[in-house]
Amino acid sequence: MTRPLARVGLPGASSRNGVTCPYCFASAAPQRIPFRCRGQAGGTLGCAPVLDERLAAYTGSTAGASLPPVFAAAGRKGRADCPACGRPTGNRVCPECHNPLPSAYCDSPGRIVALVGAKNAGKSTYIAVLLHELMNRVGTELDASLVACDDRTIERYKRDFARPLLEERRLLPTTASAATGPREPLVYLLTRTRRGRFARARNDSLALVLFDTAGEDLRSREVTDLHLRYLEAADAIIFLVDPLELPGARGELSRGGEVSRGGDPPSPDPDSEPLNVIARVTEALRQRHGTRPGDPLPVPVAVALTKIDVLRPSLLRQSALHRTRSGTGVLDLDDRDAVDAQVRALLHDWRSGQLDTYLGQQYADHALFGLSALGGVPEAGRVGAGGVRPHRAEDPLLWLLYRFGLLDGVRPGGT
Ligand SMILES: Nc1nc2c(ncn2[C@@H]2O[C@H](COP(=O)(O)OP(=O)(O)O)[C@@H](O)[C@H]2O)c(=O)[nH]1
Ligand SMILES: [Mg+2]
Ligand SMILES: [Zn+2]
Ligand SMILES: [Zn+2]
């Protein structure tokens, strides 16, 4: 059913003592992370830019790779003086690929969230909408900032995600295969300020590393090692499932849902079946964790049914999925349980209970979600008339924040 993955011999990838680079997934001991001179930023007389060959090799282009030099130094409190110009800097970079490593990330490493799903599951749309929600409504609610870690992420988010979908309301083009498409992830740092019991504010950070990769690519030999390393390095997974791909779900579609499929036959490719995609990811994770096949993996997995707007209204009425999330700045655990139970019931009704069973066997902790990134059925390649109106898109991330101790859980029912 699943095919064995080529073993990726990346020294250090399995070590969790160091900082894992969210770009190339190399691991470095915190004291061995080099610095980049601040150069002439802020009108100081620092070093002039030079071509950074490691960064150019990573991005595959010399554009944007002329930067002040990188130097190794022990540093003190995350700062060091450039040996060439003497100016202090706090900018740190990955020793392998020279991409920036934000200091908040170096201080609290080990929280890489990976997003996975078969082709057409709704990944690109979800990335566009989730990031927008985090930068706006949800970010405000959580007292959290979402900051791109590099300029390429800012540009690509605008050009490939936000502008077409959110401004021009066009559906996003199908993601190119990893063999030809962009091989770089979008990298963000989500930082949340929390006030502790003794009123001391503390910032906690999480790296959101989003590869817009088709799950099918994971099977093929031409896929870059990078994608396997990505999965191996993940500390949490958001797994997106298109309910229209589940065998028993078709009867539950509202008419609009059927129209939106455009009469497409279901995908004949067994590699894009949700269970097979998650099984390939599971194998990659096992490589890193070195667990025995019978032992559950410690990585939390959020499994979300996307496009729930296509389900018949009668199915959603009075359901937990249909409600809007309650609570602000906290995770409502009663609501979480209700949604989890409802999605589990749907999976079983749709002859997809195996997916739930498999996850329960393989992972110590998995949670089920239902969401809609668009909030309505698209028509003729465009977002529906009401615009993009996400429903519960942030839920999987809130749960992961809760699991990482960045968000409190409450039971309004009081149990
Ligand atoms: N009804 C509905 N359709 C969606 C939603 N999100 C995505 N889609 C549809 O699913 C298609 C594939 O989405 P996309 O994000 O490109 O999937 P990817 O291949 O996983 O990146 C889109 O073109 C839309 O037609 C949603 O929230 N609701
Ligand atoms: Mg895509
Ligand atoms: Zn790196
Ligand atoms: Zn310098």
Side-chain angles (χ1 to χ4, degrees), residues 37-39 46-48 68-69 71 82-87:
C37 175
R38 288 190 62 225
C47 296
F71 61 91
C82 173
C85 69
R87 310 260 152 191

Side-chain angles (χ1 to χ4, degrees), residues 310-329:
V310 301
L311 301 179
R312 262 194 285 125
S314 58
L315 193 80
L316 289 176
R317 211 168 294 138
Q318 295 179 352
S319 84
L321 274 181
H322 186 60
R323 281 202 303 262
T324 34
R325 178 171 60 83
S326 69
T328 48

Side-chain angles (χ1 to χ4, degrees), residues 20-26 58 93-99 101:
T20 302
C21 169
Y23 295 87
C24 74
F25 310 105
Y58 175 86
V93 297
C94 167
E96 296 298 323
C97 68
H98 284 188
N99 274 293
L101 296 179

